[in-house]
Amino acid sequence: MKLTNKVIIVTGAGGGMGKAIALQLVERGAFVVGIDISVESLSDIQQDNFEAKVADVLDEQKISELFSEISNTHGKIDGLVNALGIAQSQTPIEEVSLEQWHRLLNVNATSLFITCKEAVKYMKPKRQGSIITIASISAVRPRPGLQSYIASKGAAESFSRAMAIELAPYSIRVNTIHPGPADTNMLGQFAEENADVTAMKDAVFKQSVPLGELIQPDDIAGAVVYLLSDGAKMVTGATLNVDGGRGL
Ligand SMILES: NC(=O)c1ccc[n+]([C@@H]2O[C@H](COP(=O)([O-])OP(=O)(O)OC[C@H]3O[C@@H](n4cnc5c(N)ncnc54)[C@H](O)[C@@H]3O)[C@@H](O)[C@H]2O)c1
């Protein structure tokens, strides 16, 4: 599936999934602008068709300026992939502060409002575009002690579906991917404080996946390539589970 000359923004491009997504998109001919809050995490992506931008996606003004600059430089924005996120370490609700709740909701859900609003400004006049949000299978198959993270991912999926119906008249497609437990830095951050993360990966996460393996970042990138491509031109408002059957 080719994405030649498509201009695609990937948030969280320095992370496990975001990086794999950015690299696969570049390989398929797209020009990718990768945004991440962490400078170091972006530094090892050196492809010609890749541009790194360091920004906190919650900084609305900076994101607005960035999207405007990208559109001015390239004449369009074809795609937006929301792949940033933060985890919650397993904690019972009575020990979670309101501040922690707000932080998870802000980073994982409010960030989507900010990036989608900006992308739509440039997609609507062209009457085309594709927006993909990485949510989580935990939104529909919860685990104990992750209530705030899971609420943020439920919001992400509902928001995507709401955007899909709102933007369909402009031929802008909006879809969600639900990864299962994935082999990235984030996975260990879901463990309880002081837990043995390596043991937990095998004993808890791997065993929760019917196909018996953790999801790899490239598995998610493959799904993103499909959803961005013309092969998915009639797919909108959909949620694609890339979870090894964890949601069953
Ligand atoms: N790893 C898993 O097991 C798993 C499972 C299901 C869903 N997910 C979701 O997949 C997505 C990608 O996760 P990952 O595993 O690649 O995580 P990761 O921690 O490897 O990467 C996340 C990236 O987001 C960036 N980021 C965080 N806050 C930001 C902000 N405010 N502005 C800009 N960048 C910011 C981080 O710097 C990091 O590079 C996330 O939305 C996550 O919730 C992950």
Side-chain angles (χ1 to χ4, degrees), residues 8-29:
I8 299 165
I9 297 172
V10 179
T11 72
M17 291 183 201
K19 198 169 288 188
I21 292 166
L23 291 173
Q24 279 210 27
L25 300 185
V26 165
E27 232 171 71
R28 301 203 182 240

Side-chain angles (χ1 to χ4, degrees), residues 11-18 35-38 41 55-58 82-86 103 107-108 134-137 149 153 179-187 189-190:
T11 72
M17 291 183 201
I35 304 175
D36 204 288
I37 199 167
S38 148
S41 67
D56 180 345
V57 170
L58 290 176
N82 295 302
L84 68 74
I86 54 170
R103 177 87 190 131
V107 176
N108 292 349
I134 313 298
S136 171
I137 195 63
Y149 176 82
K153 292 303 184 177
D183 200 3
T184 71
N185 285 342
M186 184 181 282
L187 190 58
Q189 296 164 13
F190 289 112

Side-chain angles (χ1 to χ4, degrees), residues 1 226 229-235:
M1 272 173 274
Y226 163 67
S229 75
D230 292 343
K233 70 180 177 28
M234 293 307 287
V235 181

Side-chain angles (χ1 to χ4, degrees), residues 141-162:
R141 187 86 146 76
R143 267 184 188 291
L146 298 178
Q147 67 307 109
S148 314
Y149 176 82
I150 289 167
S152 72
K153 292 303 184 177
E157 185 182 20
S158 296
F159 177 66
S160 289
R161 286 168 53 79

Side-chain angles (χ1 to χ4, degrees), residues 178-200:
H178 276 348
D183 200 3
T184 71
N185 285 342
M186 184 181 282
L187 190 58
Q189 296 164 13
F190 289 112
E192 276 173 280
E193 235 178 282
N194 305 323
D196 176 347
V197 171
T198 314
M200 195 170 170

Side-chain angles (χ1 to χ4, degrees), residues 70-108:
I70 295 163
S71 168
N72 285 340
T73 307
H74 298 279
K76 59 177 184 165
I77 295 173
D78 297 299
L80 165 68
V81 184
N82 295 302
L84 68 74
I86 54 170
Q88 172 181 14
S89 84
Q90 253 185 331
T91 318
I93 187 166
E94 63 275 25
E95 292 170 26
V96 178
S97 69
L98 187 57
E99 196 187 349
Q100 287 169 316
W101 162 270
H102 280 315
R103 177 87 190 131
L104 277 150
L105 270 287
N106 274 338
V107 176
N108 292 349

